[in-house]
Amino acid sequence: MKVFIEEVSVRSEKPVDILDITEEISSVVRRSGVRSGVAVVFTKHTTAAVAINENESRLKQDVLSVLQKLVPKGAGYKHDEIDDNAHAHIQAMLLGASESIPINDSRLQLGTWQRVFFVELDGPRPRRLLVQVMGEE
Ligand code: ZN
């Protein structure tokens, strides 16, 4: 079994943003040489998330709007006493820090409408993702 790890840099341009990183992840899979296995896409940040869904601009606005309604900024959180971004931490916990995607024939086995997203919740700032690819060459 081969294990391949690569870091991917992401640059968010807005305070909250949903960035399609599918092509970057696919190119890591190609470089890994793994034909059959799994890719784990993981963010090491506490105010960002990784998610899979459809890259449709109104849907992305809806998702960000729902997150803001569920966990509005400045709603009396204790963490805001020291850092002023509790909402972003809580939103990130709801979405999760990673996704695992099956690989077959050296390709991510995503559905027709599925894309891999990096979700910025406290930007803009430079961010890093880890992609670990494991499987048979
Ligand atoms: Zn914080």
Side-chain angles (χ1 to χ4, degrees):
M1 189 184 82
K2 181 168 192 180
V3 178
F4 181 90
I5 301 180
E6 198 171 297
E7 198 171 275
V8 172
S9 295
V10 178
R11 168 100 228 172
S12 60
E13 307 283 347
K14 293 186 271 186
V16 292
D17 209 358
I18 298 181
L19 303 169
D20 189 330
I21 56 169
T22 311
E23 294 313 316
E24 286 89 339
I25 308 307
S26 292
S27 72
V28 173
V29 170
R30 281 193 296 275
R31 280 194 292 281
S32 76
V34 168
R35 289 166 52 85
S36 178
V38 65
V40 177
V41 183
F42 179 76
T43 173
K44 294 171 89 170
H45 302 288
T46 58
T47 55
V50 175
I52 293 174
N53 216 288
E54 183 176 347
N55 191 355
E56 196 283 310
S57 60
R58 286 155 296 192
L59 175 64
K60 292 191 290 182
Q61 290 170 34
D62 289 337
V63 169
L64 294 175
S65 161
V66 166
L67 284 171
Q68 282 156 32
K69 277 181 200 150
L70 283 174
V71 192
K73 185 173 184 181
Y77 310 108
K78 299 210 176 297
H79 181 71
D80 283 351
E81 293 165 15
I82 57 166
D83 202 14
D84 207 28
N85 66 354
H87 65 290
H89 289 280
I90 297 165
Q91 291 168 356
M93 287 181 78
L94 293 177
L95 294 177
S98 73
E99 292 283 359
S100 302
I101 305 152
I103 298 163
N104 199 23
D105 293 330
S106 305
R107 291 205 309 259
L108 295 171
Q109 296 299 293
L110 292 166
T112 305
W113 301 108
Q114 285 183 315
R115 305 291 288 178
V116 186
F117 294 132
F118 176 82
V119 185
E120 175 61 74
L121 297 162
D122 190 27
R125 50 170 120 181
R127 300 288 206 172
R128 291 174 307 147
L129 288 155
L130 273 186
V131 183
Q132 181 157 356
V133 185
M134 294 159 286
E136 304 297 330
E137 289 181 86

